[in-house]
């Protein structure tokens, strides 16, 4: 089945130690998104790619970076995680041809020690 | 900037009854999409229903329907014949990148 896959599902890192979260999709969607979701809150958009065009939200900290080497994969890099970065990170995809509906992955829960 | 407001942090409903979740938004755009997403406990977010702003007819998906009032910028979700599996966080979203704060719905047996 076509889907959005996130690895790992749980990630533990140390304060200040760089960490990378991965997302892959088999939907061949040209748009990919990264959201941060803290407990019982709305997902907050960090950035998105339209094909290779990177769109950063104005309030996304510089500590967060992203890479999209090809259509299928997208990575979230947190250069120096702080305690406040502990959250669920959601990856999603969409296509203008499917009326912009987003398909979400299961998320990666990040714990910062 | 678009804002999405869900004024009901938590709601509960008895199984088989009907419940309505509220959502209002602010935008200067004329053409846009509105969405309701469901996020069950410890499970991934999925689309419940979608509405295109240029369509006057309210969207319906089985037990789920919306009341879309474009002039009032209101987009409420009605769940009929509530089931235990409807227990989840429900998020209203504008053009799929702006989410409301969510409403936690509990369906009671």
């Amino acid at each position: 089945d076509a889907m959005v896959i996130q690895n790992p599902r749980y990630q533990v890192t140390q304060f200040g130690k760089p960490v990378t979260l991965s997302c892959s999709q088999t939907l061949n969607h040209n748009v990919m998104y990264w959201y941060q979701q803290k407990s019982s809150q709305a997902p907050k958009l960090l950035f998105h790619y339209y094909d290779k065009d990177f769109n950063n939200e104005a309030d996304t900290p510089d500590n967060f970076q992203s890479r999209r080497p090809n259509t299928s994969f997208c990575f979230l890099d947190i250069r120096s995680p702080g305690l406040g970065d502990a959250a669920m990170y959601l990856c999603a995809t969409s296509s203008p041809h499917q009326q912009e509906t987003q398909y979400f992955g299961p998320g990666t829960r990040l714990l910062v020690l | 900037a678009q804002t999405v407001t869900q004024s009901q942090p938590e709601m509960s409903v008895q199984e088989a009854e009907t419940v309505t979740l509220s959502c209002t938004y602010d935008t200067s755009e004329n053409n846009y999409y509105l969405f309701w997403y469901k996020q069950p406990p410890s499970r991934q977010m999925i689309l419940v229903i979608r509405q295109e702003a240029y369509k006057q007819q309210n969207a319906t998906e089985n037990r789920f329907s919306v009341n879309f009032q474009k002039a009032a910028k209101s987009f409420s979700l009605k769940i009929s014949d509530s089931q235990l599996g409807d227990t989840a966080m429900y998020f209203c979203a504008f053009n799929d990148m702006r989410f409301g704060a969510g409403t936690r719905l509990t369906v009671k047996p």
Side-chain angles (χ1 to χ4, degrees), chain B residues 32-34 49-53 55 57-59 66 68 75:
Chain B
Y32 47 87
Y33 294 100
L34 293 162
I49 198 165
R50 173 184 56 233
Q51 175 82 40
E52 292 97 333
K55 288 187 176 179
Q57 186 173 6
N58 288 324
V66 300
F68 173 49
F75 182 60

Side-chain angles (χ1 to χ4, degrees), chain B residues 29-102:
Chain B
E29 297 181 24
N30 192 45
N31 294 319
Y32 47 87
Y33 294 100
L34 293 162
F35 303 82
W36 279 98
Y37 284 92
K38 169 185 177 181
Q39 189 176 38
S42 302
R43 294 178 62 186
Q44 65 198 80
M45 186 113 59
I46 57 172
L47 177 72
V48 175
I49 198 165
R50 173 184 56 233
Q51 175 82 40
E52 292 97 333
Y54 64 87
K55 288 187 176 179
Q56 292 187 341
Q57 186 173 6
N58 288 324
T60 299
E61 288 287 343
N62 300 315
R63 298 183 295 109
F64 299 88
S65 62
V66 300
N67 183 3
F68 173 49
Q69 302 289 330
K70 190 174 183 180
K73 296 179 182 172
S74 171
F75 182 60
S76 60
L77 173 69
K78 185 171 83 171
I79 306 174
S80 304
D81 186 24
S82 298
Q83 300 177 0
L84 297 178
D86 295 335
T87 292
M89 282 290 289
Y90 286 82
F91 292 100
C92 178
F94 177 94
N95 274 356
D96 245 4
M97 288 194 280
R98 308 295 166 188
F99 285 76

Side-chain angles (χ1 to χ4, degrees), chain A residues 62-79:
Chain A
D62 292 339
N63 196 28
F64 292 86
Q65 304 286 318
S66 185
R67 296 170 282 134
R68 189 180 185 186
N70 53 51
T71 300
S72 300
F73 286 88
C74 195
F75 301 98
L76 170 62
D77 301 308
I78 309 176
R79 293 192 296 187

Side-chain angles (χ1 to χ4, degrees), chain A residues 25 28-30 32 51-52 68-74:
Chain A
Q25 54 132 338
N28 204 33
H29 284 170
N30 54 349
M32 294 187 77
D51 294 322
K52 283 197 168 288
R68 189 180 185 186
N70 53 51
T71 300
S72 300
F73 286 88
C74 195

